[in-house]
Amino acid sequence: MKETALAVFDMDGTLFELVVDWKALLNDLAMIAYEDRHVGPFKDLVEAYEWCRSRERAKERMVLVQREYEGEHLKEARRVVPGTSAARWRLNRGKMCSIFSLNTADTVEGLISSWGFYPVVTVDRTDRVKPDPEGLFRAMETRGVGPLSTVFVGNSPRDREAASRAGVSFIDVKDIREEWFA
């Protein structure tokens, strides 16, 4: 792996595996939308948050519901060893690390508040969600680096697309090799 100034990490599936009933969460988010005349369930969180972008107060209500679902079993979250090892290695050496996640700030802070990630860009701290690269741009701007000096570590096609749209390198967490950080 090439040396990068900034490593931005996804949360769920990259650093930790959260225990969340995503289908039930999406159903509850659809109920919020139903009250506002939306018809049918959402296929994923991105669709839910894209729908509420133009609706006053809908996002705040959705974030509250998501925060509750994520927090229910937060203590049961399991580390994703390659991702947490890579993050710890970088942070212990004073290297810049940020978070860009579809999870809520409370979830991220509940799991890694003392690790030293900055900035932490979450669904409730940004106007646009992945695969929109807004969170990656915010992390780079905050840290004063550009796309050529940044890598996004994630686990999904949505993460890969966000990296591509931001012009940054992407590493799938399952492809991280321990020797890169030895």
Side-chain angles (χ1 to χ4, degrees):
M1 183 172 98
K2 71 175 188 166
E3 181 64 28
T4 58
L6 173 63
V8 182
F9 290 82
D10 171 50
M11 173 57 80
D12 189 25
T14 301
L15 295 176
F16 286 87
E17 289 288 346
L18 299 178
V19 179
V20 176
D21 184 343
W22 295 109
K23 186 174 181 175
L25 169 59
L26 290 171
N27 285 336
D28 280 359
L29 296 181
M31 291 306 293
I32 291 170
Y34 179 76
E35 293 168 7
D36 197 30
R37 312 252 191 300
H38 174 79
V39 195
F42 294 115
K43 68 179 180 183
D44 57 25
L45 285 175
V46 172
E47 184 179 62
Y49 283 109
E50 285 298 317
W51 169 85
C52 72
R53 276 189 47 222
S54 64
R55 288 155 181 90
E56 196 171 319
R57 309 247 341 129
K59 182 175 181 180
E60 291 84 8
R61 293 185 352 238
M62 288 188 170
V63 166
L64 288 173
V65 172
Q66 182 178 345
R67 184 179 299 143
E68 184 178 315
Y69 271 87
E70 289 178 350
E72 282 179 6
H73 302 284
L74 199 56
K75 292 181 181 182
E76 298 169 35
R78 293 178 310 261
R79 288 181 347 122
V80 175
V81 174
T84 55
S85 295
R88 289 280 194 181
W89 185 91
R90 288 186 58 87
L91 290 163
N92 288 340
R93 285 159 182 77
K95 298 184 181 292
M96 294 186 293
C97 293
S98 298
I99 297 287
F100 178 33
S101 174
L102 281 172
N103 300 109
T104 65
D106 284 356
T107 297
V108 174
E109 308 239 342
L111 291 170
I112 58 168
S113 65
S114 64
W115 288 29
F117 287 95
Y118 178 77
V120 174
V121 183
T122 57
V123 69
D124 43 340
R125 293 181 175 168
T126 187
D127 292 330
R128 299 183 183 274
V129 297
K130 291 186 277 182
D132 190 287
E134 177 185 328
L136 289 169
F137 291 137
R138 184 179 306 168
M140 289 185 286
E141 181 179 332
T142 299
R143 290 302 201 143
V145 300
L148 296 178
S149 300
T150 303
V151 63
F152 186 33
V153 182
N155 69 306
S156 70
R158 183 176 296 119
D159 293 336
R160 183 179 300 278
E161 183 180 344
S164 175
R165 291 171 67 182
V168 304
S169 298
F170 176 78
I171 298 175
D172 192 304
V173 70
K174 71 178 181 287
D175 295 333
I176 290 178
R177 300 293 178 253
E178 194 172 316
E179 60 269 16
W180 292 347
F181 303 99

